[in-house]
Amino acid sequence: MNLHTLTLSEAREKLDKKEISSVELTTEHIDRLKTLDEKLNAFLTVTEAEALEAAQKADDRIAAGESTPLLGIPYALKDIYLTKGIRTTAGSHVLEDYIPQYTATSVEKLEKAGAVLLGKNNQDAWAHGSSGENSDFGSTKNPWNLEYVPGGSSSGPAAAVAADMAVFSMGTDTGGSIRQPASLTNTVGLKPTYGRVSRYGVMAMASSFDTMGHFTKTVKDSAMVLSVTAGQDKKDGSSSPHPIDTYTSDLGKSIKGLRVGMPKEYFIEGMDPKVRETVETAIKKLEELGAEIVEVSLPYTDYAIGVYYILQTAEVSSNLARYDGIRYGNPRSFFGDEAKRRIMLGTFVLAHGYYDAYYKRAMKIRTLIKQDFEKAFEKVDVIATPASPTTAWKIGEKANDPLAMYLSDIFTVTGNVAGVPGLSVPAGFVNDLPVGMQLFAPMFAEKLLFNVGHQYEQATKWYERKPNL
Amino acid sequence: MGGFLFIIDLTDMTKINVKHIAKLAALPLSQAEEEKFEKQLEAVLTHIEKLSEVDVQNVKETSQVTGLHDVERQDEVEPSLYQAEALMNAKHIHNGLFEVPVIIEEAVE
């Protein structure tokens, strides 16, 4: 049996029926990642011994009759989540030998739920990037074509799930860093509402934008993971007291009569026309399933990248100020180019004399972008867009043009600026490279995203297509 | 009434003094890096100029998207790190303390 191809919910069923053990499932994933990762470079650290020990414990709990969504399921973590005693680098040479003294809240929850950590994933250093090329430990390759980027900044987590090396993986999404790589790798990527999942113990990039989400093979799997990670945390003051939903309970619900908004600002000149066509076909599929397609407008979309690159870099410059090489890590000369660019841009926009023109103005336009979504959601239940204006591109293609790289996030950053949840669902292929459809919902309506995403997925089953590795 | 539309012209502000900014941010840069970053950052700032088109009069700033504010928690004493744990990642320690670079060379009167 090919245990590595199992989805989370399939693995759950087999574990509960005792058809397989977590040790078997974990061993197969470790074997697979050992064979494949030489090509893909999706892992920076593999925690084989700890994984087998955790798998054995999970098997004992299953034998004792316990059945919870993630018990015994092997997963991987972007290397920006702190793991006590396990090296955590954020993909940067600054932290190449850093061993955290504590564990992130979300990881503690996964551990408690019995999920089995396989290792730590490669990423753009400090989560700065859209291709994985900004990692100080070399690019992660796209499993669909090894000459192409997997997207970023959660490059390793996306590749790990796309290549069946992990059943699910945790990433972070500050401007699209989960949804964009998910769309480039035929995986399901969730960016939860801001504050839905605790940020505690995850290295801060831009604190008012950072969200902790995940990659899975199916939408149902995504709902199962959120059911464990969601919730308020007293250690993260911005985590929300909003009640947690039963995320899997509406998966089977028909979307007949559901109003799906199609914002004209997301179907524009300059994007790959074939990607546009693919996503339009996907939206038509929603219509066939009974949804009503409504044209909506999010008029301030065009300013989102500008707003984002002021506010985000300002927060980056402040958050990365702590890395002085004194208590941990290497000196600041170890920062890579992209971190240096962002620190400087952030320092500049916050500097005396520029603050009002840049930072304050951007915070006001952030309000207008947020209101765009609020107004649209008065007319529609969800919004459907492409997750990325293009499919994956060749490694090196945008490496010397930071602005071109920043613009690859145009369809995802708005979600972080406004704080709303977004889900990228596999929607087809262009020249054998994956395309993702992004769904936005109002704040804390993740359950609705899973409902719509699952209905679409069941009607199309793009996730069943696998890369040739 | 004769409203005064206040639009800031950012075009003159796109010059970035990389040398100065790098010093503020404590980033050691080479001459070649300064030149490269200046060009790249100016391209980004030119794109950002677009924001000056937007009328933001009477618009409030957003800094917390879900609207939470003044979140408090109990100030409880909890176990913390042992000294050895706290120091375990430091490259330079001295007598159980972090060693830091000299900041002030001479005592000031």
Side-chain angles (χ1 to χ4, degrees), chain A residues 32-46:
Chain A
R32 185 166 171 86
L33 88 79
K34 278 185 177 165
T35 344
L36 286 180
D37 207 43
E38 227 162 274
K39 288 198 258 187
L40 295 169
N41 198 24
F43 282 82
L44 297 178
T45 305
V46 180

Side-chain angles (χ1 to χ4, degrees), chain B residues 1 9 40-41 56 70 91 94 97:
Chain B
M1 58 162 278
D9 184 9
Q40 291 173 335
L41 294 177
V56 292
D70 301 333
K91 300 265 190 297
H94 180 73
L97 300 168

Side-chain angles (χ1 to χ4, degrees), chain A residues 172-239:
Chain A
T172 58
D173 191 316
T174 304
S177 286
I178 290 174
R179 290 159 291 155
Q180 185 257 17
S183 83
L184 269 43
T185 57
N186 202 42
T187 53
V188 174
L190 174 74
K191 171 224 174 283
T193 307
Y194 180 79
R196 179 69 304 174
V197 178
S198 169
R199 294 180 296 115
Y200 181 77
V202 185
M203 285 178 219
M205 175 185 159
S207 309
S208 80
F209 298 87
D210 290 345
T211 57
M212 310 302 130
H214 45 266
F215 295 85
T216 54
K217 298 177 189 181
T218 69
V219 175
K220 183 181 182 185
D221 294 358
S222 191
M224 289 168 75
V225 176
L226 188 66
S227 70
V228 170
T229 57
Q232 195 179 10
D233 176 13
K234 67 173 183 187
K235 291 173 177 167
D236 173 5
S238 69
S239 67

